[in-house]
Amino acid sequence: MTDYETVIVDRRDSVAIVRLNRVEKHNAISRQMSADLIAVIDELEGDDDVRVLILTGAGDKAFCAGADMAQAALEEGPADWSRDWAAQAAVRLARVKKPLIGQINGYAYGGGAVFALQCDVRICSDDAKFRFVGAVYGLVVGASRLPSLVGPAIAKELIFTARTVDADEALRIGLANHVVPKADLEPTVLKMAQDIAAHSLPALIASKEVIDIASGFRDAAKRENEHNTELRQSDEHKRRFRAAAERVVRD
């Protein structure tokens, strides 16, 4: 297994735990992390001995804080797809064919919330929190996946308001499959992953594909990306993103 700068892979027989590892930045998505995560997924998908993937964050506080806006603020150039590292990694996660479990340890905001949405199952610690902040920055974030989990009315509320959803609410509305005490999180996730890994991988892959088609996710994701391609060029997005990035750098 290749060593990566910002991602750790922990193999447990036929299960691979992928840990986002920028603890000092609350696992915010940098350009390097996006590249590392895409490469890791490519490697694990090509390994026939890996049957189930788990995605989580290193450390105790955060699954993933979203895009590293402080880094983005320091880069020059147009606000286009080439700079949207979080979206590039999220698209790759959405294309994972094998079962993917989200081990949500702490908060998942912005791009981190989208990473969680791309997982087939989300098991959360009792201190987990979600926030879909795309509209704050002038983008569409999570709208293609969230309705199939929580229904269109709640999805609109969460995306329109960008409010924080705690673990109890996430479980109640269907955003989380299970919520467990933090100390029990990894053993619980690993047990489910091992149970899944005992089954027929071709059948699991086929089942996942059919469920994704039935949910309408793929067509919606394509439209979300099209909207964001246009929105990234708008003065509204540039102004909002610059203001948010300046707040992050200042803080």
Side-chain angles (χ1 to χ4, degrees):
M1 189 79 204
T2 307
D3 289 332
Y4 294 93
E5 183 178 334
T6 63
V7 175
I8 299 170
V9 180
D10 182 5
R11 291 284 297 271
R12 308 284 182 92
D13 297 323
S14 56
V15 175
I17 304 174
V18 179
R19 302 184 196 276
L20 307 175
N21 187 36
R22 298 184 75 221
V23 177
E24 74 287 354
K25 294 288 188 178
H26 306 299
N27 301 322
I29 308 157
S30 63
R31 183 184 293 277
Q32 185 63 51
M33 178 182 281
S34 176
D36 285 348
L37 183 56
I38 291 169
V40 164
I41 296 300
D42 288 346
E43 186 171 356
L44 294 174
E45 286 252 270
D47 186 339
D48 292 338
D49 292 331
V50 175
R51 303 170 68 82
V52 179
L53 282 63
I54 296 169
L55 181 65
T56 191
D60 294 328
K61 293 184 178 180
F63 171 75
C64 176
D68 187 338
M69 300 184 71
Q71 185 183 92
L74 297 175
E75 293 205 354
E76 297 181 356
D80 59 15
W81 174 253
S82 67
R83 293 180 63 193
D84 199 340
W85 322 305
Q88 292 167 27
V91 166
R92 182 62 187 91
L93 287 171
R95 293 174 179 164
V96 172
K97 295 180 180 180
K98 297 176 180 179
L100 174 62
I101 302 175
Q103 180 178 310
I104 315 302
N105 55 316
Y107 55 84
Y109 288 176
V114 175
F115 278 14
L117 290 183
Q118 310 299 25
C119 298
D120 302 307
V121 175
R122 281 155 299 283
I123 302 179
C124 301
S125 61
D126 49 14
D127 64 346
K129 291 182 173 63
F130 298 86
R131 190 172 179 228
F132 300 91
V133 296
V136 177
Y137 308 141
L139 294 174
V140 182
V141 176
S144 60
R145 192 70 155 181
L146 194 57
S148 65
L149 300 175
V150 304
I154 294 177
K156 288 175 182 177
E157 177 188 338
L158 299 185
I159 289 172
F160 292 175
T161 64
R163 67 176 178 82
T164 300
V165 179
D166 66 20
D168 288 341
E169 182 179 5
L171 181 63
R172 187 173 68 251
I173 66 179
L175 181 52
N177 293 73
H178 304 281
V179 173
V180 299
K182 195 143 196 167
D184 297 336
L185 181 60
E186 186 152 309
T188 301
V189 174
L190 190 57
K191 174 63 165 60
M192 178 182 285
Q194 290 167 338
D195 289 346
I196 293 170
H199 302 316
S200 163
L201 183 58
L204 293 169
I205 291 172
S207 297
K208 176 172 177 171
E209 180 187 9
V210 172
I211 292 168
D212 284 347
I213 291 171
S215 70
F217 161 65
R218 294 183 176 185
D219 290 341
K222 179 175 180 291
R223 189 65 181 128
E224 183 172 316
N225 287 334
E226 290 171 349
H227 273 302
N228 283 332
T229 297
E230 181 176 349
L231 288 168
R232 285 187 194 95
Q233 307 309 315
S234 69
D235 291 338
E236 171 86 357
H237 164 66
K238 293 173 184 176
R239 177 180 59 80
R240 287 179 173 273
F241 187 87
R242 183 168 56 250
E246 288 172 352
R247 284 196 300 271
V248 170
V249 172
R250 188 169 57 248
D251 295 341

